[in-house]
Amino acid sequence: MTETRWDVAPGDRPGISVSEQGTFSGFFVYTIGLLLAVILTITSFWVANTSVLWTPGVPAGLVVLAIAQMGVHLVFFLHITTGPDNTNNILALAFGVLIVLLVLGGSIVIMANLNENMAAHTEPMNLQMQH
Amino acid sequence: MNIAVGVDDVHEGELVNTSEAGPAPKRIVVSYGFWIFLLSDIVMFSALFAGYAALARATAGGPTGSQLFNQQTVAMETAFLLLSSYSCGLMSLAINSRGYFGTFLGAGVTFLLGAAFLSLELREFATMIAIGATPQRSAFLSAFFTLVGCHGLHVAVGLSWLVLMMIQLAMRGFSPVVERRLHCFSLFWHALDIIWVLIFTVVYLMGVVP
């Protein structure tokens, strides 16, 4: 009896054949994911609305919570793991994340930089307008 | 001879190599292709996010995010979409164990929650447009409607896809084709929820934070 070594399909739980996925343990996995996601969502809304926290740190905290929740969704809803039968899925995901980070980070850095330089130019113009 | 037997023994206990096993089953190939499509879709959304982040403060004297966004609506939308993602997961469990009742129930709950999300979002857009906060008003609003509207369009496409799949399931039963398509649908729906997590954080919650 030899077992083949194909990667698991994205969205399937690894190590379990397709027909055996609809068991109680599957229900358990989704429910844990839902509970974690609810906790993270409620924390996000609380962080955005509370005055207890140091205000300049709030956006960074929100980003961290969002990334954590996306991780929860990937692990508990899409069943992405680091196991050997998930290599293809993880590699594709890692490439996607790389492109997303390049697009997001590059655009935000460049636009912020440009904004700063533009602001330096507009100030003297405003002064001229006041004369 | 002894050496050959030894090599055979080693291979006997191990898993068969991928190249020896031949092509993977269609379910894996199709899901993997759809996974790559989803990742490319997420890359497209990242461009829209980058555009929004660059233009979020460019209100051109018009209404700002903190004046327009109603956090209660956003919380309800988030809850609807998260619960629909959960019920979609339970539906895929029912699909794997070939339960017609569970599948139709899960699909119905998923559809209703998704439709509730979409109707809340459309009502939000309508109230914004009614007070003059149209996409033409400022760069911020253009970016907002492009980003959130694109996600809403995806949800609408997903809802019609779900209806089509339920018709196919009723007509064809659990054939391998229908099962693969349903699996791709559940991947799509979970990915939409992941994108919504970023939208409610970046657009709505950060837009309210001063």
Side-chain angles (χ1 to χ4, degrees), chain B residues 7-94:
Chain B
V7 167
D8 275 353
D9 283 345
V10 168
H11 276 292
E12 197 72 28
E14 279 185 7
L15 298 169
V16 174
N17 197 344
T18 313
S19 53
E20 290 170 36
K26 205 160 183 188
R27 179 187 171 92
I28 294 175
V29 176
V30 168
S31 308
Y32 187 66
F34 198 75
W35 179 236
I36 289 177
F37 159 72
L38 285 177
L39 290 168
S40 73
D41 215 29
I42 288 172
V43 166
M44 184 205 71
F45 268 105
S46 80
L48 298 181
F49 270 111
Y52 179 83
L55 299 172
R57 307 271 172 218
T59 50
T64 61
S66 51
Q67 291 165 347
L68 290 172
F69 301 149
N70 178 2
Q71 283 212 51
Q72 241 176 344
T73 317
V74 179
M76 277 167 71
E77 285 175 359
T78 307
F80 284 148
L81 208 59
L82 182 59
L83 286 173
S84 84
S85 204
Y86 177 67
S87 70
C88 179
L90 297 188
M91 179 185 79
S92 57
L93 290 181

Side-chain angles (χ1 to χ4, degrees), chain A residues 6-7 10 12 31 49 73 89, chain B residues 22 27-28 71 86 183 193:
Chain A
W6 293 306
D7 275 29
D12 277 343
T31 308
N49 289 300
H73 283 238
N89 303 341
Chain B
R27 179 187 171 92
I28 294 175
Q71 283 212 51
Y86 177 67
H183 188 73
D193 202 19

Side-chain angles (χ1 to χ4, degrees), chain A residues 101-124:
Chain A
L101 287 181
L102 285 177
V103 170
L104 274 183
S107 307
I108 290 169
V109 167
I110 289 171
M111 290 311 289
N113 210 328
L114 203 62
N115 230 355
E116 226 163 73
N117 293 336
M118 294 293 271
H121 283 295
T122 48
E123 245 169 65

Side-chain angles (χ1 to χ4, degrees), chain A residues 1 49 52 54 124:
Chain A
M1 181 70 197
N49 289 300
V52 177
W54 184 57

Side-chain angles (χ1 to χ4, degrees), chain B residues 121-161:
Chain B
E121 188 165 75
L122 287 177
R123 212 172 54 184
E124 186 197 0
F125 284 179
T127 43
M128 281 172 72
I129 288 169
I131 60 168
T134 57
Q136 297 97 313
R137 180 62 189 83
S138 64
F140 154 66
L141 284 165
S142 300
F144 168 81
F145 276 104
T146 312
L147 174 59
V148 183
C150 193
H151 178 268
L153 194 66
H154 275 74
V155 174
V157 168
L159 286 178
S160 41
W161 186 5

